[in-house]
């Protein structure tokens, strides 16, 4: 399995506070059957200003520690970018990271933001520039909860969606849990992710298997597994965005791995 949204890098945001805790996250994920994690520390103006080079260095260091500890897990670079108007410019000048330097871009909106036509047009501009927007934790975007037709409209236009596994347990409330189930039934989810921040923080552990079991009862096991294998696998193997002096991390023998 592949987890395409995880705050595993230490001391960059509200994730692990130490390398030891980051390794604990990795052990739990590996024991759950996760073979690759895309590290997605927050990028939020005025709060978390993680440069692309800082993240790449941290990913490199963590992978070295994973090898030393014999933990069979690969960590790949990315960001969870809090939406702001200068996003496209900062992508193009190398300030921001896509997921594994692929065309896929993880964007976070405030839960209570009004997803206006301006934002829709902005996402369209990202697509015109060759990016594939992925919206983080769509089940906690209240505009979608109030108006699932908006999510359907965006999804039909190629904007992809992530669902946090723990939402299916009801940790964010019954309403969000039921909405998550509804989006799955309508085929609006492209990725199941942990959005883990530590081994226990916020009730979101680096575990996908529990969510897959729940989803399998809703849409069947084959389609459920696509959310943690086939779909995130595209991020690992898609055409890369060329960036000078920027390494792309691809798990060894990725073409022969199923990540299940």
């Amino acid at each position: 399995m592949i987890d395409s949204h995880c705050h595993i890098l230490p001391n960059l945001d509200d994730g692990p506070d130490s390398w030891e805790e980051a390794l604990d996250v990795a052990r739990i994920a590996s024991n759950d059957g996760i073979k690759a994690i895309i590290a997605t520390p927050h990028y939020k103006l005025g709060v978390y200003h993680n440069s692309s080079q800082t993240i790449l260095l941290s990913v490199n260091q963590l992978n070295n520690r994973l090898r030393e500890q014999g933990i069979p897990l690969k960590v790949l670079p990315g960001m969870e970018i809090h939406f702001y108007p200068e996003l496209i410019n900062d992508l193009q000048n190398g300030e921001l990271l896509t997921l594994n330097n692929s065309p896929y871009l993880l964007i976070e909106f405030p839960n209570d933001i009004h997803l206006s036509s301006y934002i829709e047009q902005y996402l369209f501009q990202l697509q015109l520039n060759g990016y594939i927007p992925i919206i983080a934790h769509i089940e906690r975007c209240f505009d979608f909860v109030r108006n699932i037709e908006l999510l359907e409209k965006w999804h039909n236009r190629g904007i992809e969606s992530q669902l946090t596994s723990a939402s299916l347990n009801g940790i964010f409330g019954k309403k969000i849990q039921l909405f998550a189930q509804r989006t799955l039934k309508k085929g609006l989810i492209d990725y199941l992710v942990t959005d883990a921040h530590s081994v226990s923080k916020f009730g979101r552990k680096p575990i996908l298997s529990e969510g897959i079991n729940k989803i399998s009862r809703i849409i069947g096991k084959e389609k459920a597994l696509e959310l943690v294998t086939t779909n995130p696998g595209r991020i690992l193997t898609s055409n890369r965005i060329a960036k000078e002096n920027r390494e792309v991390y691809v798990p060894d023998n990725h073409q022969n791995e199923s990540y299940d």
Side-chain angles (χ1 to χ4, degrees), residues 211-238:
I212 288 298
N213 289 337
K214 292 179 184 297
I215 292 174
S216 295
R217 294 194 288 270
I218 299 172
I219 61 174
K221 187 172 183 180
E222 183 178 351
K223 289 185 178 179
L225 286 173
E226 289 178 358
L227 306 182
V228 295
T229 57
T230 306
N231 293 358
R234 292 196 299 263
I235 299 172
L236 273 58
T237 59
S238 64

Side-chain angles (χ1 to χ4, degrees), residues 48 188 248 253:
Y48 301 114
L188 300 177
V248 174
N253 301 319

Side-chain angles (χ1 to χ4, degrees), residues 103-105 123-124 127 131-135 151-161 190-191 234:
Y104 294 86
L105 176 72
L123 295 176
F124 181 60
Q127 291 175 303
Y131 298 101
I132 303 171
I134 302 174
I135 308 305
L151 179 60
E152 289 182 286
K153 177 183 175 183
W154 285 21
H155 198 262
N156 290 337
R157 292 184 175 182
I159 297 168
E160 299 192 334
S161 302
D190 301 285
Y191 310 93
R234 292 196 299 263

Side-chain angles (χ1 to χ4, degrees), residues 106-120:
L106 182 61
I107 299 176
E108 176 187 33
F109 293 112
N111 293 345
D112 58 352
I113 191 175
H114 175 54
L115 299 174
S116 64
S117 58
Y118 162 75
I119 291 178
E120 186 174 337

Side-chain angles (χ1 to χ4, degrees), residues 67-132:
R67 284 191 292 269
E68 291 171 359
Q69 294 291 320
I71 300 173
L73 179 74
K74 186 72 174 180
V75 178
L76 316 169
M79 277 181 179
E80 180 181 13
I81 303 170
H82 197 88
F83 180 82
Y84 64 105
E86 294 77 28
L87 195 157
I88 292 179
N89 290 336
D90 289 347
L91 269 172
Q92 294 175 337
N93 66 27
E95 177 67 22
L96 304 178
L97 284 177
T98 59
L99 302 181
N100 195 36
N101 295 328
S102 72
Y104 294 86
L105 176 72
L106 182 61
I107 299 176
E108 176 187 33
F109 293 112
N111 293 345
D112 58 352
I113 191 175
H114 175 54
L115 299 174
S116 64
S117 58
Y118 162 75
I119 291 178
E120 186 174 337
Q121 287 301 313
Y122 199 98
L123 295 176
F124 181 60
Q125 287 299 317
L126 281 169
Q127 291 175 303
L128 290 178
N129 279 274
Y131 298 101
I132 303 171

